[in-house]
Amino acid sequence: MDLDSPSILDERLLSCLAKEPPDIGVLWEICSHFEWLNREKTIDDIASWLGPADGLKILDCACGSGFPAIDLAARGYDVTSSDGSLLMLEHFRRNARREGMDIQPAHVRWDELSAHHGEAAFDVVMCRGCSLLYAGTWDDNRPPDRTMLTAAIREFVACVRPGGRLYVDVSSAESLESLEPQWTRRPGLTVGGHSIGLREVVTNHPDRGIRIWRSWLDIDGVTYEFERRSHYLPHDELVDLLADAGLVDIREEKMQSEHYEVFAGKRPD
Ligand SMILES: C[S@@+](CC[C@H](N)C(=O)[O-])C[C@H]1O[C@@H](n2cnc3c(N)ncnc32)[C@H](O)[C@@H]1O
């Protein structure tokens, strides 16, 4: 299956538009559409980082609307999927059905991760899509609380078996540097007779430890506005948090096709 073929991309967008009014999951599906340099290549890169599927137990603890959990499962990986947002899980289920995959994601917040999935139960825990930065803020745009970030990483690590690995991604170093609003105006799209437009602006507030993402989604001439605060987390602070949680061999993984910057670490044997 060519995940990047126009018909599959259109189909994916069209099915998410059925959700009215559009929620944060619809916005995320549309943003992802634009952010993919090449979705299939990104899965190739993640699969190559993971290694062979044989016997590897993976937890995608921020499975959201399904990337990369559904795509990895389609390639034969043993992926357990969970997320803290019921709304995002509705999008996951729709996408999984559309791909013909029978996957039941679990509704689990990060603070209950090891209690739900079991301590040291996975070879790899993944938290992809800049999700970590939304610890405690994704559902209701609550002001970021730094303790949620530390607690989330500790729970991720608790689920990794000794010798296993954690995969987490964050915003690029470049986008963290600017104090100016960073605007992105996406090209207009027409899908199944619907017109879609998207403008986004991200503003860093390092002094307050926050980053604000505002978006205006236009669907058939109606504008829907969204705002999400997230943690402002420079890469060196992320590395410190991963080390404090007990990981070793922490490194930035260069993944050319990935929109975000990926960091990985290993739980000591
Ligand atoms: C930006 S989306 C990324 C989704 C998906 N991994 C992707 O790459 O498309 C962030 C996801 O993190 C989840 N999330 C944020 N905070 C969470 C928490 N405390 N517990 C569990 N999930 C959380 C959200 O519900 C959302 O689905």
Side-chain angles (χ1 to χ4, degrees), residues 7-29:
S7 58
I8 286 183
L9 290 175
D10 284 5
E11 224 185 87
R12 182 176 284 135
L13 283 187
L14 194 55
S15 60
C16 86
L17 288 182
K19 192 88 197 284
E20 275 187 70
D23 56 31
I24 187 78
V26 174
L27 174 68
W28 182 247
E29 288 283 276

Side-chain angles (χ1 to χ4, degrees), residues 220-259:
D220 298 331
V222 181
T223 302
Y224 303 89
E225 190 172 340
F226 297 85
E227 181 190 279
R228 280 294 178 278
R229 287 174 275 198
S230 66
H231 298 271
Y232 176 85
L233 183 62
H235 293 178
D236 53 348
E237 285 183 35
L238 170 66
V239 169
D240 287 347
L241 289 177
L242 296 175
D244 290 348
L247 294 182
V248 295
D249 295 344
I250 299 161
R251 67 182 73 163
E252 187 177 341
E253 301 284 354
K254 287 289 169 208
M255 296 211 181
Q256 273 185 347
S257 57
E258 181 50 279
H259 180 74

Side-chain angles (χ1 to χ4, degrees), residues 69-70 78 104 113 119 163 188 208 210 221-222 251 268:
I70 296 174
D78 175 1
Q104 296 308 323
L113 213 56
E119 298 257 348
R208 292 155 58 199
I210 72 171
V222 181
R251 67 182 73 163

